[in-house]
């Protein structure tokens, strides 16, 4: 999403609004009049998505779907028009359904993906003249198939847009006919999986032609993302192979777990490949976005396919404005802990400035996960991460109520369908359900509850019918595995119910496993007496909202699962627990027995909500809240997650490399007893491997004394050591320590010892560590709150006495206070090492990695910033979950991540880093080893 169209200055704006004109009140007060027909929203002056792309095409649309059948004159188009709106629509079909586009590829048959109509409506709104935004949609082309595919009609890149302004979408080949869409005739047979073969080759000219066509598409500017392994030849052609793999991790791992389902344990090989593809896909999205990005643009990212994208963008543009919205549920921390890549997912999405959810419970789960898994401070307002505040808020999405009303009540085709349905089910109460064939939609629970309803309330036999429409799922795993199980179960339940309670003239359940036409769907919602939604977990259910709009005259009650993402918004609906079959049966009877007055009272509240909280209002509210958060919190101080692909690439190119690591909190975790912080075998092996490369100079710069470093790290002869914050150094391949402070007057230590002793006696669990140069007072074993209080008092005491008498500084560490000479700090040793390794001789290191975790390490980062080394050769990394502000350019979460990163450089990448390796190598690593 680009800058707003209206960029007129305003002297009354604050500092941020001057920098970002989108904060002008004329922009943030986005004009939206929910529920009121706005002709310009649906005319031909602005772009308009197919808001009902879910539905199968109508007979008339099928007639005009091919170029040879389209009207070529106004008179032919007007023939048969029944209303003014119908006439305008027919006239728009003259000479094609959209304006002619120069250089359009006649072979490209663009198709909107089914479903997600609310999101398509938001795209239409943002691209229309009614908003102040210049909107660009960035999306995957979808799974491209050759036109010669014998099993389906010609198909090619569709209009992108599954869930997002930066969406993932997939190609859904149009069925040969409506009856062929849902499930195979032989439900037990798996659908044939086509061989990947050599893939589909697309030339550079083909891609450029389609990109030009999409940039001028009537749905607004579209920029496609081409997901491929690499260029197929020197002419820029790409080869698309196994295109479904780009969404496997999202749909098999994330979608499943986010809906509270777990897989059986596996050896993890397939998951590692899926994760690598997921990382690479997000990286390719980032590349495409940054190709068109301009300073001041806002990037609005949608849904679980792109959870890593916020962080990847922030790594490359630290002050970029990013919003993220999740359209599916977010699980509790107990479930998210089961995800092997949980830390990467959370830190990835925390790259956004604001994160939106469908309901409050989902936002609460997210904040809780950030605290329990990452250790970040959080509240209902957001998460404090790496020096910045990430806002977390709730934005229940709506529908285009005006468009739905026009279709439902102004389309003559809907009226014809209504008459047919009423004639078919004359004298019967109609209960309607429409769901996808997913296990989370609760269709089986609905049927079992309906069976119990017929058993408990036999007076309704012959007087009520359940019309259940199920459409094919779009989730890959559901189609391949659970889809067959659930379809069998549904078929068995329907047969059982109709066998027990039906007759030759009456079937209680009417099941339609297919896509409905738009007219059939809205006619069904209008004639219904009860709407029944029993999803066991979902994020957004537009059927419930469309049902309310269609019940404007009938006032039919809505029975809604409390596990639906819309339940919190539709408080006046009849809420049920789909697992409580008896409760659902009772709710059905209650809905059928409600008085007209009660129905009208209930529907009035629901209708007001749906017609005011529209998708247009949702878009405006989200963007306004994002702009307010951008003005309230300085996001430029946020430290992005370490870009491991960039790190690995720069490392491999460099022939002269310098590494500088802190010890406590960087290579090993902080522990209560400092003497217990000994390095593990993994740490020692990893550091030794790194130091053994003759191109690498590796140093540990610690506050520890010489004896400790000698005992645990001294046996690595290639390793350089610096003790007591740079007071002593030991060069590689030597055993002698050099004292850099031997001429310093140490008389200050007596005064400091007296103060430290005073607080040690009054703070149970505290103790004093005496080094040759520095004195440290530790309170790790003390009560945390009281220890921190005493540390503040002690520091104030020292600064008012000893620090005024001697040239020393008092430094606050992690659960300690340290006093040392002012000129002794880690920054000085960093300057010395950079100079020694060729900076002064014009042969500087080509790669520098410096990592630390606390206040004392900021001296190292500051020193590196003041060198003349190219900043893209320097990787300064702060470690830990603290929300502190830092001079480091990157962050890692914990010491184990530091060791994993070093292992990546050593050629022993862990599964979570396979994506970074693949981005550098251009292919998925077969094992964890790759050359350096």
């Amino acid at each position: 999403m680009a800058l707003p169209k209206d960029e007129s200055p305003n002297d009354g704006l604050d500092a941020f609004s001057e920098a970002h004109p989108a904060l002008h009140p004329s922009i943030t007060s986005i004009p939206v009049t929910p529920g009121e027909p706005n002709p310009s929203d649906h005319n031909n002056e602005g772009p308009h998505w197919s808001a009902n792309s879910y539905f199968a095409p109508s007979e008339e649309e099928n007639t005009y779907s091919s170029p040879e059948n389209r009207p070529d004159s106004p008179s032919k188009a007007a023939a048969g028009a029944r209303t003014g709106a119908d006439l305008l629509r027919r006239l728009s079909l003259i000479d094609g359904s959209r304006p002619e586009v120069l250089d359009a590829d006649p072979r490209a048959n663009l198709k909107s993906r089914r479903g997600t109509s609310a999101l398509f409506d938001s795209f239409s709104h943002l691209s229309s003249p009614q908003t102040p935004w210049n909107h660009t949609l960035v999306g995957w082309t979808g799974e491209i198939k050759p036109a010669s595919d014998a099993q389906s009609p010609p198909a090619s890149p569709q209009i992108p847009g599954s869930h997002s302004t930066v969406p993932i979408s997939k190609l859904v080949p149009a069925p040969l006919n409506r009856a062929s869409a849902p499930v195979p005739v032989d439900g037990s047979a798996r659908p044939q999986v086509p061989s990947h073969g050599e893939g589909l080759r697309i030339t550079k000219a083909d891609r450029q032609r389609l990109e030009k066509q999409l940039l001028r598409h009537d749905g607004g500017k579209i920029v496609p993302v081409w997901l491929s392994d690499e260029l197929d030849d020197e002419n820029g052609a790409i080869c698309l192979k196994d295109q479904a793999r780009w969404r496997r991790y999202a749909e098999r791992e994330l979608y499943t777990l986010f809906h509270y389902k777990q897989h059986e344990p596996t050896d993890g090989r397939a998951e590692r490949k899926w994760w690598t593809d997921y990382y690479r896909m997000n990286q390719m999205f980032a590349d495409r976005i940054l190709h068109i990005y301009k300073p001041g643009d806002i990037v609005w990212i949608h849904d679980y396919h792109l959870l890593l994208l916020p962080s990847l963008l922030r790594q490359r543009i630290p002050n970029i404005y990013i919003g993220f919205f999740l359209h599916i549920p977010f699980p509790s921390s107990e479930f998210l802990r089961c995800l092997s890549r949980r830390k990467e997912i959370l830190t990835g999405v925390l790259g956004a400035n604001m994160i939106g959810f469908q309901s409050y419970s989902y936002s609460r789960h997210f904040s809780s996960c950030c605290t329990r898994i990452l250790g970040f401070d959080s509240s209902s307002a957001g998460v404090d991460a790496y020096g910045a505040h990430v806002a977390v808020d709730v934005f229940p999405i709506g529908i285009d109520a005006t468009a739905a009303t026009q279709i439902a009540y102004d389309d003559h085709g809907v009226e014809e369908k209504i008459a047919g349905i009423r004639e078919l089910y004359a004298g019967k109460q109609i209960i309607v359900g429409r769901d996808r064939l997913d296990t989370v939609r609760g269709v089986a629970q609905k049927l079992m509850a309906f069976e119990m309803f017929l058993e408990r309330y036999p007076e309704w036999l012959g007087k009520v019918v359940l019309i259940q429409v199920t459409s094919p799922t779009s989730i890959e795993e559901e189609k391949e595995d659970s889809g067959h199980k659930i379809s069998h179960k549904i078929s068995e339940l329907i047969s059982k119910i109709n066998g027990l309670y039906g007759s030759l003239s009456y079937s209680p359940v009417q099941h339609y496993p297919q896509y409905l036409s738009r007219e059939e769907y809205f006619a069904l919602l209008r004639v219904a007496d009860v709407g029944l939604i029993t999803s066991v977990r979902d994020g957004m259910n537009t059927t419930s909202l469309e049902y309310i709009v269609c019940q404007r005259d009938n006032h039919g009650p809505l029975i809604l699962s409390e596990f639906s993402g819309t339940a919190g918004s539709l408080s006046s609906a009849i809420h049920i627990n789909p697992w409580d079959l008896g409760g659902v049966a009772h709710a059905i009877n209650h809905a059928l027995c409600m008085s007209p007055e009660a129905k009208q009272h209930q529907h009035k509240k629901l209708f007001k909500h749906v017609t005011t909280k529209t998708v247009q209002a949702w878009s405006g509210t989200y963007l306004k809240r994002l702009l307010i958060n951008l003005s309230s919190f300085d996001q430029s101080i946020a430290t992005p997650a370490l870009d491991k692909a960039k790190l690995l690439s720069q490392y491999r190119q460099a022939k002269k490399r310098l590494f500088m690591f802190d010890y406590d909190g960087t290579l090993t975790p902080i522990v209560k007893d400092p003497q217990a912080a000994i390095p593990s075998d993994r740490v020692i092996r990893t550091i030794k491997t790194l130091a053994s490369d003759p191109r690498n100079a590796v140093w540990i710069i610690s506050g520890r004394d010489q004896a400790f470093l000698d005992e645990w790290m001294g046996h690595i002869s290639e390793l350089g050591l610096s003790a007591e914050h740079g007071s002593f150094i030991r060069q590689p391949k030597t055993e002698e320590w050099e004292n850099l402070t031997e001429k310093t007057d140490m008389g200050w230590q007596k005064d400091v010892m007296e103060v430290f002793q005073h607080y040690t006696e009054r703070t149970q669990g505290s103790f004093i560590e005496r080094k040759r140069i520095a004195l440290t007072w530790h309170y790790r074993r003390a009560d945390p709150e009281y220890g921190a209080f005493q540390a503040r008092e002690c520091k104030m005491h020292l600064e008012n006495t000893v620090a005024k008498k001697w040239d020393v500084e008092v430094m606050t560490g992690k659960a300690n206070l340290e006093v040392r000479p002012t000129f002794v700090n880690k920054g000085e040793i960093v300057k010395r090492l950079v100079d020694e390794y060729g900076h002064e001789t014009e042969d500087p290191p080509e790669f520098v990695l410096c990592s630390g975790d606390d206040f004392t390490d900021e001296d190292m980062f500051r020193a590196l910033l003041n060198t003349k080394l190219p900043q893209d050769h320097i990787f300064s990394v702060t470690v830990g979950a603290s929300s502190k502000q830092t001079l480091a350019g990157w962050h890692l979460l914990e010491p184990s991540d530091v060791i994993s990163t070093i292992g990546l450089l050593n050629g022993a990448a862990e599964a979570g880093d396979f994506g970074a390796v693949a981005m550098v190598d251009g292919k998925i690593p077969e094992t964890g080893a790759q050359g350096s």
Side-chain angles (χ1 to χ4, degrees):
M1 182 180 301
L3 284 171
K5 297 165 187 170
D6 180 10
E7 298 185 27
S8 57
N10 187 314
D11 296 337
L13 298 177
D14 59 20
F16 183 85
S17 63
E18 292 175 2
H20 201 300
L23 277 181
H24 191 282
S26 65
I27 305 297
T28 57
S29 301
I30 296 176
V32 177
T33 308
E36 294 294 331
N38 189 346
S40 58
D41 278 347
H42 304 286
N43 62 16
N44 292 328
E45 295 178 3
H48 184 58
W49 292 89
S50 173
N52 297 286
S53 57
Y54 170 87
F55 307 105
S58 64
E59 295 178 5
E60 184 177 22
E61 288 169 339
N62 277 326
T63 302
Y64 292 151
S65 62
S66 58
E68 59 270 17
N69 292 332
R70 290 172 185 155
D72 56 4
S73 69
S75 58
K76 290 183 180 180
R82 290 179 288 267
T83 65
D86 188 21
L87 175 62
L88 290 175
R89 185 182 58 76
R90 286 168 174 266
L91 291 174
S92 71
L93 294 173
I94 298 175
D95 193 24
S97 59
R98 55 179 63 92
E100 181 181 0
V101 178
L102 297 178
D103 300 324
D105 192 341
R107 299 166 297 172
N109 183 15
L110 304 179
K111 295 182 180 294
S112 297
R113 104 165 245 202
R114 295 184 183 275
T116 62
S117 60
L119 196 64
F120 280 116
D121 287 336
S122 74
F123 297 160
S124 175
H125 174 65
L126 291 172
S127 298
S128 71
Q130 280 64 55
T131 68
W133 303 102
N134 289 320
H135 178 255
T136 301
L137 179 66
V138 181
W140 180 30
T141 59
E143 293 165 30
I144 303 174
K145 296 184 180 180
S148 59
D149 191 335
Q151 297 185 359
S152 65
S156 60
Q158 65 176 61
I159 299 172
S162 141
H163 300 287
S164 58
T165 297
V166 185
I168 288 292
S169 61
K170 39 191 176 290
L171 185 88
V172 182
L176 295 174
N177 57 64
R178 276 173 278 172
S180 70
V183 291
V185 175
D186 181 4
S188 63
R190 287 179 176 271
Q192 182 180 358
V193 179
S195 173
H196 304 315
E198 296 299 321
L200 181 64
R201 187 173 180 272
I202 300 181
T203 65
K204 185 177 181 180
D206 288 336
R207 298 199 307 275
Q208 291 176 340
R209 204 160 31 237
L210 181 61
E211 288 175 10
K212 288 181 180 179
Q213 183 176 349
L214 291 174
L215 275 176
R216 292 170 287 187
H217 193 272
D218 61 357
K221 291 182 290 185
I222 304 173
V223 177
V225 178
W226 301 90
L227 299 181
S228 62
D229 286 319
E230 55 192 8
L231 294 179
D232 190 46
D233 56 35
E234 61 183 12
N235 295 323
I238 60 174
C239 187
L240 305 179
K241 302 178 182 179
D242 187 18
Q243 298 173 64
R245 77 180 192 272
W246 301 110
R247 53 189 175 91
R248 283 200 182 111
Y249 185 83
E251 295 185 358
R252 291 176 180 267
E253 295 292 314
L254 297 179
Y255 182 90
T256 302
L257 188 126
F258 281 26
H259 286 83
Y260 290 82
K261 298 191 296 180
Q262 287 183 275
H263 293 297
E264 293 294 326
T266 66
D267 61 7
R269 295 180 184 178
E271 287 83 352
R272 285 194 291 272
K273 290 184 179 180
W274 300 342
W275 169 256
T276 302
D277 287 328
Y278 185 76
Y279 179 93
R280 296 172 65 206
M281 176 188 69
N282 278 259
Q283 192 71 260
M284 284 186 271
F285 262 83
D287 293 340
R288 195 64 166 129
I289 292 168
L290 295 181
H291 181 70
I292 62 173
Y293 171 82
K294 296 178 181 178
D297 286 359
I298 294 175
V299 181
W300 190 0
I301 303 170
H302 294 253
D303 230 7
Y304 61 102
H305 292 90
L306 299 173
L307 287 168
L308 302 181
L309 185 55
S311 182
L312 294 175
L313 290 172
R314 185 139 337 260
Q315 288 171 353
R316 295 157 75 171
I317 305 180
N319 60 347
I320 191 172
Y321 307 138
I322 301 174
F324 183 91
F325 188 83
L326 186 69
H327 292 256
I328 64 172
F330 195 90
S332 66
S333 59
E334 286 77 10
F335 260 81
L336 194 69
R337 285 177 185 273
C338 301
L339 188 67
S340 58
R341 305 267 72 87
R342 58 196 183 184
K343 290 194 301 183
E344 290 87 343
I345 292 297
L346 289 174
T347 55
V349 75
L350 282 173
N353 298 99
M354 186 176 77
I355 304 170
F357 295 91
Q358 176 70 22
S359 74
Y360 174 72
S361 62
Y362 303 157
S363 69
R364 181 170 51 84
H365 288 161
F366 176 79
S367 297
S368 174
C369 287
C370 291
T371 299
R372 294 175 181 270
I373 296 175
L374 300 181
F376 292 140
D377 293 334
S378 67
S379 66
S380 59
V383 180
D384 294 325
Y386 305 114
H389 178 80
V390 180
V392 176
D393 217 329
V394 180
F395 303 91
I397 196 171
I399 61 172
D400 188 340
T402 302
T405 302
Q406 290 174 344
I407 296 171
Y409 289 94
D410 296 342
D411 192 324
H412 186 70
V414 174
E415 298 293 340
E416 292 179 350
K417 298 295 183 183
I418 289 175
I421 296 172
R422 283 178 173 162
E423 180 181 355
L424 186 62
Y425 301 105
K428 295 180 177 63
Q429 297 285 299
I430 300 175
I431 302 174
V432 168
R434 190 207 73 172
D435 307 273
R436 289 193 183 274
L437 197 61
D438 295 343
T439 53
V440 300
R441 303 300 175 180
V443 179
Q445 285 84 349
K446 181 185 302 184
L447 293 170
M448 288 188 286
F450 186 68
E451 179 185 3
M452 186 171 291
F453 162 75
L454 295 176
E455 177 186 348
R456 292 187 176 183
Y457 305 96
E459 64 271 18
W460 286 107
L461 287 175
K463 300 178 182 178
V464 67
V465 62
L466 170 63
I467 300 178
Q468 176 62 44
V469 179
T470 54
S471 54
T473 180
S474 60
I475 303 300
E476 185 179 76
E477 182 187 45
E478 296 275 2
K479 288 190 289 187
E480 292 185 2
D481 298 323
S482 301
H484 295 292
K485 298 177 183 177
I486 190 64
S487 63
H488 277 308
K489 187 172 185 179
I490 290 172
S491 298
E492 291 173 358
L493 286 169
I494 293 171
S495 299
K496 179 184 176 183
I497 295 170
N498 288 338
L500 285 173
Y501 301 102
S503 64
L504 290 176
S505 60
Y506 169 64
S507 295
V509 180
Q510 299 290 328
H511 182 219
Y512 298 93
Q514 64 189 62
Y515 288 114
L516 295 182
S517 70
R518 183 177 62 189
E519 291 81 4
E520 291 171 331
Y521 173 69
F522 281 99
L524 195 60
L525 294 186
R526 279 188 58 185
V527 301
D529 296 289
V530 176
L532 182 56
I533 297 172
T534 56
S535 53
V536 295
R537 190 76 58 179
D538 71 18
M540 170 59 184
N541 192 298
T542 57
T543 301
S544 60
L545 306 179
E546 290 161 343
Y547 173 79
I548 292 168
V549 169
C550 291
Q551 289 293 311
R552 184 184 68 184
D553 302 328
N554 198 31
H555 306 151
L558 172 65
I559 302 175
L560 182 62
S561 167
E562 64 187 47
F563 296 109
S564 170
T566 51
S569 304
L570 304 178
S571 57
S572 297
I574 302 173
H575 289 186
I576 50 95
N577 177 357
W579 300 102
D580 179 10
L581 303 182
V584 178
H586 174 75
I588 295 173
N589 181 66
H590 172 67
L592 292 171
C593 295
M594 286 179 68
S595 66
E597 294 77 14
K599 290 181 182 180
Q600 184 177 7
H601 178 73
Q602 183 188 81
H603 182 265
K604 182 179 179 181
K605 296 179 181 178
L606 295 172
F607 190 79
K608 180 181 179 181
H609 173 85
V610 174
T611 53
T612 56
K613 305 298 182 181
T614 63
V615 70
Q616 292 88 350
W618 172 77
S619 300
T621 301
Y622 184 94
L623 291 171
K624 181 177 181 180
R625 198 82 54 83
L626 174 60
L627 295 172
I628 291 173
N629 278 293
L630 289 173
S631 65
S632 301
F633 302 101
D634 183 4
Q635 302 291 332
S636 63
I637 58 177
T639 310
L642 177 61
D643 186 344
K644 294 186 179 180
K646 180 179 179 180
L647 179 81
L648 180 61
S649 176
Q650 186 64 38
Y651 175 80
R652 290 184 177 179
Q653 295 174 27
K655 303 302 180 185
K656 194 173 185 181
R657 310 155 178 157
L658 175 60
F659 294 84
M660 294 169 285
F661 300 107
D662 176 39
Y663 183 78
D664 290 286
T666 302
L667 297 180
T668 61
I670 296 291
V671 295
K672 288 191 174 182
D673 183 359
Q675 296 305 313
I678 60 177
S680 64
D681 290 340
R682 182 192 178 203
V683 171
I684 293 174
R685 287 196 311 270
T686 303
I687 293 294
K688 188 172 183 177
T689 302
L690 185 69
S692 64
D693 190 327
R695 294 169 290 183
N696 297 343
V698 184
W699 282 78
I700 293 179
I701 305 175
S702 173
R704 294 281 187 166
D705 59 23
Q706 301 153 270
F708 182 92
L709 294 178
D710 264 334
E711 179 180 1
W712 295 109
M713 308 299 290
H715 62 285
I716 305 177
S717 59
E718 301 90 351
L719 188 63
L721 301 175
S722 174
E724 299 192 30
H725 302 289
S727 300
F728 301 89
I729 63 170
R730 197 194 80 170
Q731 296 289 343
K733 299 183 179 180
T734 65
E735 297 183 358
E736 299 297 324
W737 287 87
E738 179 184 354
N739 186 352
L740 303 181
T741 61
E742 57 186 353
K743 297 181 181 180
T744 304
D745 184 357
M746 306 300 291
W748 57 269
Q749 288 192 341
K750 179 181 178 182
D751 295 345
V752 173
M753 279 295 294
E754 291 178 356
V755 176
F756 277 173
Q757 191 64 42
H758 172 83
Y759 284 91
T760 301
E761 292 172 356
R762 289 160 176 76
T763 310
Q764 185 177 2
S766 64
F767 61 94
I768 303 170
E769 180 185 6
R770 183 161 192 164
K771 305 173 184 177
R772 293 185 59 178
I773 297 299
L775 290 175
T776 306
W777 181 68
H778 295 276
Y779 56 92
R780 296 180 189 177
R781 301 173 186 171
D783 177 81
E785 292 185 4
Y786 184 68
F789 169 77
Q790 288 290 78
R792 290 192 295 269
E793 294 293 316
C794 182
K795 182 180 181 181
M796 189 182 303
H797 189 165
L798 290 168
E799 288 174 342
N800 291 332
T801 56
V802 180
K804 292 183 177 180
K805 180 179 178 183
W806 300 91
D807 190 16
V808 296
E809 61 180 337
V810 184
M811 304 197 64
T812 303
K814 289 190 175 178
N816 67 67
L817 283 179
E818 182 164 293
V819 182
R820 67 187 185 193
T822 304
F823 66 89
V824 175
N825 64 67
K826 293 182 179 181
E828 294 299 321
I829 197 68
V830 166
K831 293 177 185 176
R832 173 172 175 159
L833 292 176
V834 171
D835 289 340
E836 286 183 358
Y837 281 89
H839 191 219
E840 290 185 337
T841 60
E842 298 185 356
D843 184 24
E846 300 170 344
F847 174 93
V848 178
L849 175 60
C850 179
S851 183
D853 71 305
D854 65 16
F855 182 80
T856 63
D857 300 309
E858 294 298 313
D859 293 329
M860 295 197 295
F861 305 147
R862 184 179 295 105
L864 286 174
L865 286 173
N866 292 329
T867 66
K868 296 181 181 180
L869 295 174
Q871 289 302 307
D872 59 342
H873 292 182
I874 299 174
F875 294 85
S876 54
V877 183
T878 188
V879 182
S882 172
S883 59
K884 67 182 180 201
Q885 297 179 17
T886 177
L887 294 173
W890 309 93
H891 77 248
L892 286 171
L893 190 61
E894 56 190 4
S896 62
D897 295 329
V898 178
I899 303 304
S900 298
T901 301
I902 300 172
L904 169 67
L905 303 181
N906 287 339
E910 295 184 352
D913 295 329
F914 274 22
V917 176
M919 290 302 300
V920 177
D921 291 347
K923 61 181 181 180
I924 300 175
E926 294 297 328
T927 65
Q930 83 276 348
S932 63

